[in-house]
Amino acid sequence: MIIGIDIDDTITDTYEVMMGYAQEYTLDVLGREPIINETNSCSNHLYIQYLHNWNKDEDLKYLELYYENIIKEVRPKTLAIKYLNKLKEEGHTIVLITARWETEYIDIVGLTKEWLRENNVPYDKLIVNAENKQMAAKQENLDIFIDDSFKNCQMVSDIGIKTFIMDTRTNRNLDDERIKRVYSWPHFYSVFKNMIKEAK
């Protein structure tokens, strides 16, 4: 099977790194108390902006200052690499589809490939700057898709691809009966294997 997989907050624990820098940025750069808006219903990957009530310019400045550090410092989710390797060893094709984008001051493709190599992440193809993951999913002829963004999951599910959402504290209250929620990489792997058995 061809499996499309998001990187940030699906393979990695990006939230923790982004939050630390967001607190520093709000205090030291914006000069404000970092009051966090409660949200369990953020439908896309822009949760840091929503949580801190930043405007668009403040969000862009934050990324300009910290984006490179965030990319370098994120760590894989527990057991993510183990189960990605299992999928690869079983002959599945892994397509990493990320909304990470190139900027004039960061080589996002180079940084991401370096991180993937350093963390021994198996993959067959890397797609960056995927603003429309439905389009990427269609072009890659995916059988399976997994992401933490509810919006992305809905868009991909709309074209009939079996879709999973990786549970996070920012998407927890969002549901769609077409999308299967998984809570870890062992959970995803177990559900995936059972799905294959049932299809035989």
Side-chain angles (χ1 to χ4, degrees):
M1 288 195 172
I2 304 172
I3 307 172
I5 306 173
D6 172 52
I7 296 177
D8 291 297
D9 288 316
T10 302
I11 293 175
T12 68
D13 277 324
T14 307
Y15 177 94
E16 301 301 332
V17 179
M18 290 189 78
M19 280 296 288
Y21 282 121
Q23 297 281 288
E24 179 181 87
Y25 172 70
T26 305
L27 285 162
D28 296 349
V29 178
L30 300 180
R32 298 201 299 255
E33 185 72 15
I35 297 170
I36 304 297
N37 294 321
E38 286 296 321
T39 180
N40 294 314
S41 305
C42 186
S43 65
N44 61 37
H45 62 283
L46 300 175
Y47 56 78
I48 288 293
Q49 179 181 347
Y50 298 143
L51 285 170
H52 291 83
N53 201 32
W54 298 335
N55 62 40
K56 187 174 182 180
D57 288 340
E58 289 169 340
D59 186 51
L60 289 172
K61 182 67 175 176
Y62 163 75
L63 291 169
E64 181 182 331
L65 292 171
Y66 296 105
Y67 192 35
E68 184 171 356
N69 287 350
I70 291 165
I71 299 302
K72 289 178 177 179
E73 293 177 25
V74 294
R75 293 289 171 261
K77 284 182 176 289
T78 303
L79 296 173
I81 308 306
K82 174 181 178 178
Y83 285 95
L84 287 167
N85 274 302
K86 278 179 173 283
L87 293 170
K88 193 77 184 81
E89 288 163 8
E90 290 165 6
H92 302 293
T93 299
I94 296 174
V95 180
L96 301 180
I97 306 174
T98 178
R100 292 179 177 186
W101 68 98
E102 292 284 358
T103 73
E104 58 188 60
Y105 52 91
I106 298 175
D107 172 16
I108 200 64
V109 172
L111 281 175
T112 300
K113 285 184 175 180
E114 183 180 347
W115 185 91
L116 293 167
R117 186 170 52 253
E118 287 176 354
N119 288 277
N120 301 307
V121 178
Y123 68 99
D124 296 281
K125 187 172 184 179
L126 171 66
I127 300 171
V128 300
N129 199 32
E131 287 185 38
N132 186 330
K133 293 195 179 182
Q134 182 190 79
M135 186 182 299
K138 190 182 292 184
Q139 287 174 346
E140 297 303 317
N141 199 27
L142 299 185
D143 299 297
I144 301 289
F145 178 72
I146 179 169
D147 201 319
D148 67 294
S149 164
F150 186 72
K151 179 182 176 183
N152 288 337
C153 288
Q154 282 194 312
M155 288 175 67
V156 173
S157 184
D158 283 346
I159 57 173
I161 294 170
K162 179 64 179 172
T163 302
F164 297 82
I165 188 165
M166 182 62 76
D167 182 75
T168 70
R169 67 193 74 190
T170 58
N171 70 28
R172 203 150 284 161
N173 287 344
L174 299 169
D175 285 306
D176 183 322
E177 63 183 14
R178 301 169 304 167
I179 300 166
K180 173 69 177 172
R181 182 172 295 272
V182 291
Y183 297 92
S184 64
W185 275 94
H187 186 207
F188 168 76
Y189 183 77
S190 174
V191 173
F192 175 71
K193 294 294 284 185
N194 287 335
M195 184 187 76
I196 290 174
K197 283 180 187 175
E198 289 171 4
K200 288 180 177 178

